[in-house]
Amino acid sequence: MIRRSKLEDADAIYVLYAETAAVPGGLARCRDEITPTYIRTFLSRCIADGLSLVAVDDGGRVVGEVHASRCGLRVFGHVLTDLTISVHPACQSHGWGRQLFGRFIGVVTEEMPEIRRIELSARESNTRAIRFYTSLGFVPEGRLKGRVCGVGGRYEDDILMGWLRTPVSRP
C-alpha cells in the first residue's frame, strides 16, 4: 500500500532511512546523519508544503518513502525540489521504488496542478538510479563538477534532473 505520510510515521521512516543509509551509497546522507530531528524536519516541511508518500508492506512495515517540497520562495512555488527516495535494502529491485515514484508523480499530476516541475540530483556513479529516473520521465539537465564526495572519498559529479508537467494546450 502507498499512502501519504503522516507525522506518526516518523519513527518508522527513521528506521527505514537508518537501515538504507547503513549501506554505502544507499543514501546521500551517511548513517550518522540520519537523526529523528532530520526525519521530523523534512516530514513536517513536506506535509505542510510538498509531498511525502510511504510504501507499507502487508505486515504494516514502512519499506519505502519519497518526498520533496517547495523551497519557500514564490518565484519557485511551482517546483518540488530536493526529492529523496528511500527503499529498504531488502525490498530493492522488487518494484517498490517504481510504485512509489509512479504514485508520487500521479499525486502531483492529479492533485497539485500548481506544480509544474520536480527536481532531484544523483551522483554520477549511480547509473542505475539515473536510468530509473530517466524511465520515469526525468531528464538530465546539468552537472555539478566534483560536488559529491562519494564512497571511498572520491569526488564525483552530481547530475541534476528535472521532470516537467506536460504543457496544457492553450486555445
Side-chain angles (χ1 to χ4, degrees), residues 85-96:
I85 184 168
S86 177
V87 175
H88 191 279
C91 298
Q92 292 178 10
S93 299
H94 298 294
W96 286 104

Side-chain angles (χ1 to χ4, degrees), residues 2-66:
I2 296 174
R3 61 169 173 76
R4 286 183 187 257
S5 303
K6 303 177 281 194
L7 285 177
E8 296 80 26
D9 295 319
D11 291 342
I13 294 170
Y14 170 74
V15 170
L16 166 68
Y17 272 65
E19 292 178 1
T20 305
V23 175
L27 290 174
R29 287 182 183 267
C30 296
R31 171 59 191 97
D32 64 338
E33 296 173 313
I34 305 297
T35 64
T37 300
Y38 162 67
I39 300 296
R40 290 191 183 283
T41 299
F42 84 64
L43 195 54
S44 296
R45 185 179 67 244
C46 291
I47 289 170
D49 201 19
L51 180 61
S52 173
L53 301 176
V54 290
V56 181
D57 69 11
D58 292 337
R61 180 177 66 139
V62 172
V63 297
E65 189 272 346
V66 61

